[in-house]
Amino acid sequence: MERGGLSAAQVSRELNYESGLLGLSGRSADMRELLALEQGGDAGARLAIEIFCRRARHYVAAYMSELGGVDVIAFGGGIGEHSPQIRRRILRGFEWLGIELNGQANDASVGIDASIGAPNSRAALEVIRIDEASVLAGEAASLLRRPAQPAEIS
């Protein structure tokens, strides 16, 4: 803020809308677009995707360590449900742990609930459809059904 003369609102906008995949790629925050751009040789898209997958791999491995292993790794949400390429890249390198992807099942699983692990994988690998809008609507409805709390008087 000090060096760039930015307001708090401008910094908030930069952090919330101009960083992440868009900031890294310089082109888009949409993984579908980034994958297409990467196919065309776009280095920024390749960088954004690689960092995204490394961060996801990092967190999966960290949680596996904290838990002493896992029974299931589940992919959900927009990217997890619809991008076999990203699931493959996130799981790359977990073979030494006995976690193995079934490439054919993975490639065939777009937007559907599916098991994508190889038969001998030590952890089940699942694609789970998530209706995020319905979950949010349900949470909002439950908040609206709660009785209003009286304000505290000091």
Side-chain angles (χ1 to χ4, degrees), residues 76-127:
I79 297 170
E81 290 176 44
H82 298 282
S83 185
Q85 309 93 311
I86 298 300
R87 294 190 301 255
R88 182 179 307 108
R89 289 162 93 163
I90 289 171
L91 292 169
R92 187 178 299 144
F94 287 144
E95 296 83 8
W96 71 275
L97 293 168
I99 296 172
E100 296 184 38
L101 184 66
N102 175 327
Q104 278 187 311
N106 182 51
D107 290 344
S109 302
V110 177
I112 60 171
D113 291 339
S115 294
I116 59 171
N120 58 338
S121 181
R122 291 182 73 188
L125 304 174
E126 302 292 327
V127 176

Side-chain angles (χ1 to χ4, degrees), residues 51-94:
I51 289 174
F52 177 90
C53 292
R54 281 187 185 184
R55 296 292 296 171
R57 239 185 342 267
H58 166 83
Y59 283 108
V60 170
Y63 281 109
M64 286 176 16
S65 176
E66 288 293 322
L67 297 169
V70 294
D71 295 321
V72 177
I73 298 173
F75 292 89
I79 297 170
E81 290 176 44
H82 298 282
S83 185
Q85 309 93 311
I86 298 300
R87 294 190 301 255
R88 182 179 307 108
R89 289 162 93 163
I90 289 171
L91 292 169
R92 187 178 299 144
F94 287 144

Side-chain angles (χ1 to χ4, degrees), residues 123-135:
L125 304 174
E126 302 292 327
V127 176
I128 308 292
R129 289 180 299 134
I130 299 172
D131 184 356
E132 294 161 323
S134 291
V135 171

